[in-house]
Amino acid sequence: MEQFKKDIQFLYPDRVDETLQEIDQIMNHYRAITPSEAFKLDEEDAILITYADSFKDENESTLQTLNKLCKKYLKEGINSIHILPFYPYTSDDGFSVVDYMEVNPDFGNWKDVAELEKSFYLMFDAVINHMSKSSDWFKGFLREDPEFENFFIEENPDKEELNMVTRPRVWPLLHKYNKNGKDAFVWTTFSEDQVDLNYANPKIFLKVLDVLLFYVSKGAKLIRLDAIAFMWKKLGTTCIHLEETHRIIQLYRKIIEQVAPQTVMITETNVPHSENISYFGNGLNEAHMVYNFSLPPLLAYSLHKENVDVLTHWAQSLQLPSDKTCFFNFTASHDGIGVRPLQGIVSDAEIGKLAKIVESHNGRVSYKSNPDGSESPYELNCNYMDLLTNPNEADDLRVKRFMLTQAVMLSMPGVPGIYYHSIFGSENDEQGVIDSGINRRINRKKLEFSQLEKELNQPGSLRSKVYEMYMKMLKVRKAEKAFDPFGEAKFYQENGVFIVERKSASDTVYCLYNFTGGEKDIEKLTEGKIDLATGNNADSSLTAYEFMWIV
C-alpha cells in the first residue's frame, strides 16, 4: 500500500488510511478470481470497433451474432474486439450507463461475452466520467440516501467561474433535478441524462476501481477510459486535464498492474494533439495507448488537398515518451471525426472547408460552445468513405481513395482500430439521422447478418471490394515484424509521395502513398524491391490514389 500512499495523500488527504485499506480489500478480492494470462501487443494485433448489437440475426443474441460473424469473416485479420458499452443504458447508444456490472439483456449475457473471449482478445469500455440519471447511484443521490451522498456534483448556476469550464457540447453545463423535493443543479458535461461522477469523493474512486477490476476479471485485456479528460472538477479552472485527473489514471494503472499486469489501458481524449498525448504521462505511469485523434481528419484533409506536406510534417513530429507506449490508430469510430485535434496543425479556415465538404456529401456537422459565446465545429458526422468521396462517384474510385487512407492507418506505428462500417464498406445512414434527430447515427447503422453476407458474396459490390482488400492488407500486415506497434518508423515524401518506413531486425518495409489524382514515378524507390501484396517485383509508378507496401 505504501506505493499508493503519495497519490492518495494528494487526492484525498483527509481519508488516506481508510482509502488505502479499501484499496487493499478490493485488490485481494480480484486477485483471487482474476486469471493471470500473458498478453503483449505486437504486429498481429488489429482491433475491430463495434457495438454489441451492430449485427443481428434471428433466434440468437446479438453478442452471439457478433461472435459468429467475426469467426467466419474476420478471424484471419482481426484478433481483438472493442465492444462499445454493452451495459444497460438510457441514451447516447450506450454511453449513459445504468449499471456498470450487467450486460444489457437486449444484447445477451456474460456467458456470451465469455464465448467471444475464447476466440478474440477483448476491449471493454469504462464510461466512468458520468452515469445515467436512471442509475441506482443517481436515484440514491436524489433521495438523499447516505450511501450515495456526494456521488455527484451540485453547483450554483450563477457562479461566474462556470464560464471558464471547457465545453464539448452546446447545451448547459448544469441541469436541474428534483432532490428530495428541492431543486438541485448537477454537473452534466455531456447531456441531461449523463450526470458526472464526483471524484473528489473517495467513495467514487473506490467504486470505479471495483468496476475496472471487475472488467479485468471478466476477460478484458484492454480497457478504454471514455471521456477521461473531464474527470476532476475545480472551479476557477477549465476543468479539463487537471493534475488530479492524471493522478487518478496513474493510480488506477498502478493498482491494476498489481492484480493483472497484462492489462492495457487506453485513454480517449478528443482534444488537440499536444493535450491528447499528455495522457502517456512519463511513458511508464499512465496510458499504455492514446487515441491518435489527429490522424482521421488529417488524412481526409490531405486527400482533399491532394497534398501531403502537412501530413508529413505532422507525422515527423510524432514522439512517444517511451518504447512501452504507442498510439491507437483509427480513421472512423462510433463518434464522428473530431476536428479539435486539427487545431494547431491547420487553420480554422481549412477546418471550415472540411465541414463544407461533409455537408456537400450529405453528412452533418456538430458544434461546441466557446467561452465567448460563439460556436465552432467540433465533430464531422459522416461515414468515413462519404467524407473522403462523393457518394455519386464511381465505386472503383471511391474504394481507391478510401483504402489509401486505411493503408496509411495500418502502417502507422501503434495498434490499428477498425470500425465495423469501415471494414465492410458502409455508407452514410441518412435515414438514421432523420429518424432519431441524432447526428452520430449517420455512422451507427445496425446490419442484418443475412443481408451483409449476401452483399459480401456479391462479386463487384462496394462491400465486397472493400472487405476483400481490407482482409488482404491485414494478412500482409500481421506477417511482417516491421509493423510491430512499438517498432521504428520514419516519415518523409519524395516526388509528392508520402512514405512510411517501418523497420524490424530483419526487414525494412516501405509504404508508399499517392494522395493525388495523377500518376507518380517511383522507380528510384522500388528498384530491386518486392510488392508485399503480390510477391512480385514492385512497379515503377503509382497510379491515382494508389499505394504500395514493398520490401
Side-chain angles (χ1 to χ4, degrees), residues 304-351:
H304 285 298
K305 296 286 284 189
E306 298 201 0
N307 184 292
V308 294
D309 290 347
V310 175
L311 176 63
T312 305
H313 183 263
W314 168 80
Q316 290 172 341
S317 74
L318 293 177
Q319 292 184 336
L320 295 169
S322 80
D323 60 3
K324 301 294 190 296
T325 58
C326 68
F327 287 105
F328 183 62
N329 297 313
F330 71 110
T331 59
S333 73
H334 61 289
D335 290 339
I337 299 98
V339 292
R340 282 200 73 207
L342 276 184
Q343 291 176 352
I345 300 173
V346 303
S347 68
D348 288 345
E350 293 292 340
I351 292 173

Side-chain angles (χ1 to χ4, degrees), residues 349-368:
E350 293 292 340
I351 292 173
K353 289 178 183 178
L354 262 186
K356 292 294 184 186
I357 290 172
V358 166
E359 291 172 340
S360 71
H361 290 185
N362 303 320
R364 307 290 191 276
V365 179
S366 295
Y367 292 84
K368 71 177 185 72

Side-chain angles (χ1 to χ4, degrees), residues 44-49 70 73-81 119-120 416-418 423 470-471 474 478:
E44 296 192 17
D45 292 306
I47 302 174
L48 179 74
I49 306 169
C70 289
Y73 287 102
L74 300 178
K75 192 76 171 76
E76 292 184 354
I78 295 283
N79 70 349
S80 307
I81 302 174
S119 301
F120 300 93
I418 306 162
I423 203 164
Y470 226 128
M471 291 304 293
L474 287 168
K478 69 188 292 186

Side-chain angles (χ1 to χ4, degrees), residues 176-338:
K176 184 170 69 173
Y177 305 87
N178 184 334
K179 186 180 182 185
N180 208 15
K182 303 180 292 289
D183 287 343
F185 290 88
V186 181
W187 203 291
T188 53
T189 295
F190 292 97
S191 80
E192 186 266 347
D193 189 46
Q194 295 163 296
V195 282
D196 287 41
L197 295 168
N198 180 17
Y199 280 89
N201 180 353
K203 287 185 178 180
I204 286 294
F205 174 87
L206 295 166
K207 282 275 194 181
V208 172
L209 174 63
D210 188 45
V211 169
L212 297 176
L213 287 172
F214 175 76
Y215 291 165
V216 173
S217 75
K218 287 295 186 179
K221 293 293 186 294
L222 308 99
I223 295 179
R224 174 186 183 271
L225 303 178
D226 174 69
I228 211 72
F230 303 95
M231 286 176 74
W232 196 278
K233 282 74 175 176
K234 185 189 295 182
L235 284 186
T237 75
T238 60
C239 297
I240 188 171
H241 313 314
L242 298 186
E243 174 61 21
E244 289 85 351
T245 293
H246 285 284
R247 292 288 279 270
I248 286 175
I249 299 168
Q250 292 166 14
L251 186 51
Y252 280 150
R253 172 170 170 170
K254 285 181 191 176
I255 296 169
I256 292 171
E257 282 182 339
Q258 293 296 309
V259 177
Q262 74 277 6
T263 307
V264 174
M265 292 180 64
I266 304 173
T267 52
E268 186 266 342
T269 54
N270 193 353
V271 294
H273 184 73
S274 60
E275 299 171 30
N276 184 35
I277 60 176
S278 70
Y279 289 85
F280 279 131
N282 65 16
L284 298 171
N285 68 341
E286 206 161 332
H288 299 87
M289 287 198 286
V290 303
Y291 274 69
N292 199 349
F293 273 111
S294 296
L295 184 62
L298 193 50
L299 287 173
Y301 167 82
S302 302
L303 191 63
H304 285 298
K305 296 286 284 189
E306 298 201 0
N307 184 292
V308 294
D309 290 347
V310 175
L311 176 63
T312 305
H313 183 263
W314 168 80
Q316 290 172 341
S317 74
L318 293 177
Q319 292 184 336
L320 295 169
S322 80
D323 60 3
K324 301 294 190 296
T325 58
C326 68
F327 287 105
F328 183 62
N329 297 313
F330 71 110
T331 59
S333 73
H334 61 289
D335 290 339
I337 299 98

Side-chain angles (χ1 to χ4, degrees), residues 30 133 270:
Y30 284 105
K133 70 177 182 181
N270 193 353

